[in-house]
Amino acid sequence: MVEGFDVVKNPQDVSFYAGLLLTSYSICQAITTMYWGPLSDRIGRRPTLLMGLTGDLATFVLFGLSKSYKWAIITRSLNGFFAGNSAVVKSVVTEIADDTNRPHMMALLPLMWNIGAVAGAAVGGLLADPTNQYPNIFGRCEIFRTYPYLLPCLVGSLTTTFGLIVGLFKLKETLVIEPAIADVAARETGVATESTPLVSSAPQQHGKPPAHSMLSLLTPTSKYVMATNLLMCLAIAMGDQIYPIFAASAPVDGGLGFSTQDIGISLSVSSVAVLYLQLVAYPKLVQKYGALTCCQMGLKIMTPFFFAMPFLSLLSSSIESMIAGKTFVRLPMPADWVSFAGFEYCMLWILLIGLLLVRITGNVLAFTSLNLLVSNIAPSKATLGTMNATR
């Protein structure tokens, strides 16, 4: 996408401008998360989520209409503003779960996140510039010729539309302010004590919840959890955002020389592993070892990915030299490649998929466990939005 903008003067600039585009989204998301969470503590989870979904839908379609780098930066930044309500989703799941099913419920969040990240990258790679990739199907569609990245954005926006419809008609408000303990005891026993308020606090369940500042919630334990989350999210974001750039770069520039289709295929393979890890493996692991141990295991498991991935470029360069004068690394592998670099080519894909599975496994264990830790250290359900906004 970035290569098609006038801002790129040479191939080496692609990674810089692509990274800047991705960073604009993350920065805006981080800034607005601090406001979406506390806002949901005041006005409720449901209206906050619906506002975020509406804004995300509109800005994502606008991003697909990008014809210049400036437009792409602006729309991607706006998309990040509305993506900050991810903290609200975590609060909703925590509020509707209990101690018997919370690990299973919290495992669904990173499951959806990982499936979305993998499937989104695959859809983007497979459907980008459809008039050139699939001329027999989209060759006469002038709108996709004018806006080559509109189709994957439209397909991706279907999930947001579905979520918005479900939220409008099915989602109920989950934020309920718990009354004071003494007041509850007095209503249950019918006996007033010195600590029983003269006026019942029951109506407060539907009134404005008390405000909680972020600083008041930063206990020593929460600080450790937030610091760990900061470093973990930095590592995960680097892995998620840099990989497509690394894979698309030429081997001479330290990349793999993959096409958009190859990148989409490599990312889609790991989606199968996500289903098993989140739905089957993780609930058993957290029940046996606990959230803290699982988080530590996840951080250790994902580490080899960052050290080993750059060395794949050496293998890719070797393959390129073996098949000099031929089209480089495309799936499915041409038959005449067997006599040139068939073994090396297979090893490249085996090692690549293996490293991507290592990364996904670490992400699942660390990310899901941190969600559980945050919900466990929150003083009350009324502060979940603010607590999740700090991470």
Side-chain angles (χ1 to χ4, degrees):
M1 181 180 188
V2 176
E3 286 182 318
F5 297 139
D6 296 335
V7 69
V8 178
K9 303 302 180 182
N10 56 71
Q12 286 74 20
D13 294 336
V14 173
S15 59
F16 171 77
Y17 287 104
L20 188 61
L21 182 62
L22 297 171
T23 303
S24 65
Y25 173 87
S26 300
I27 291 177
C28 293
Q29 182 185 26
I31 292 174
T32 55
T33 296
M34 297 184 293
Y35 297 97
W36 285 110
L39 178 65
S40 72
D41 287 340
R42 293 195 300 270
I43 68 174
R45 315 296 189 206
R46 184 176 182 273
T48 307
L49 283 175
L50 294 179
M51 284 190 293
L53 287 171
T54 303
D56 179 79
L57 176 62
T59 54
F60 193 51
V61 174
L62 291 175
F63 179 70
L65 298 175
S66 299
K67 295 183 66 176
S68 66
Y69 186 74
K70 182 182 295 186
W71 179 270
I73 282 283
I74 293 174
T75 53
R76 193 59 176 158
S77 299
L78 291 174
N79 192 237
F81 276 121
F82 290 101
N85 66 355
S86 58
V88 185
V89 178
K90 301 170 188 175
S91 303
V92 171
V93 173
T94 303
E95 288 166 344
I96 64 178
D98 54 40
D99 294 336
T100 62
N101 61 5
R102 185 165 287 116
H104 292 79
M105 295 287 289
M106 297 301 290
L108 293 176
L109 287 178
L111 171 65
M112 296 297 103
W113 183 75
N114 280 300
I115 290 178
V118 172
V123 169
L126 296 174
L127 298 183
D129 197 10
T131 57
N132 289 323
Q133 287 203 74
Y134 312 103
N136 295 333
I137 302 175
F138 299 101
R140 298 183 179 180
C141 296
E142 191 62 31
I143 185 171
F144 294 138
R145 190 180 303 278
T146 305
Y147 304 103
Y149 304 100
L150 177 60
L151 180 60
C153 290
L154 290 176
V155 173
S157 65
L158 293 177
T159 58
T160 306
T161 303
F162 177 76
L164 184 59
I165 294 173
V166 172
L168 284 171
F169 297 102
K170 294 295 183 179
L171 180 63
K172 297 180 181 179
E173 182 57 60
T174 62
L175 177 62
V176 177
I177 306 304
E178 298 175 356
I181 297 177
D183 190 20
V184 173
R187 292 200 305 271
E188 290 179 350
T189 62
V191 179
T193 65
E194 292 181 355
S195 59
T196 304
L198 295 177
V199 179
S200 174
S201 61
Q204 291 183 1
Q205 295 186 27
H206 305 285
K208 184 179 179 180
H212 297 274
S213 66
M214 292 186 181
L215 294 178
S216 65
L217 299 176
L218 291 179
T219 62
T221 302
S222 65
K223 290 179 181 179
Y224 288 126
V225 174
M226 302 310 167
T228 303
N229 180 77
L230 172 64
L231 297 176
M232 183 204 68
C233 288
L234 177 63
I236 291 178
M238 289 173 61
D240 291 344
Q241 308 292 355
I242 292 178
Y243 170 71
I245 301 174
F246 165 75
S249 300
V252 68
D253 297 323
L256 299 179
F258 279 11
S259 67
T260 55
Q261 288 181 322
D262 296 335
I263 297 173
I265 291 172
S266 66
L267 289 173
S268 62
V269 172
S270 57
S271 61
V272 178
V274 171
L275 293 173
Y276 173 78
L277 289 169
Q278 294 283 190
L279 298 179
V280 180
Y282 181 79
K284 295 180 180 179
L285 289 173
V286 75
Q287 185 177 8
K288 183 176 181 180
Y289 298 106
L292 180 59
T293 302
C294 287
C295 179
Q296 295 169 342
M297 290 169 53
L299 294 175
K300 294 175 183 177
I301 289 174
M302 73 171 69
T303 302
F305 167 82
F306 298 99
F307 289 98
M309 183 62 73
F311 289 98
L312 292 183
S313 179
L314 300 177
L315 182 56
S316 184
S317 299
S318 176
I319 296 174
E320 186 179 42
S321 62
M322 291 180 182
I323 58 170
K326 295 182 177 292
T327 304
F328 178 61
V329 185
R330 295 292 180 265
L331 285 180
M333 184 174 65
D336 60 347
W337 272 40
V338 177
S339 59
F340 289 92
F343 175 77
E344 288 80 2
Y345 180 77
C346 292
M347 285 302 301
L348 173 64
W349 275 93
I350 291 173
L351 293 173
L352 176 62
I353 296 301
L355 288 175
L356 291 176
L357 292 177
V358 166
R359 186 195 67 169
I360 286 294
T361 303
N363 288 2
V364 167
L365 291 175
F367 192 77
T368 311
S369 299
L370 272 173
N371 285 338
L372 281 172
L373 291 174
V374 171
S375 64
N376 290 338
I377 65 176
S380 67
K381 291 183 178 180
T383 63
L384 281 172
T386 304
M387 284 293 296
N388 283 309
T390 59
R391 56 181 296 271

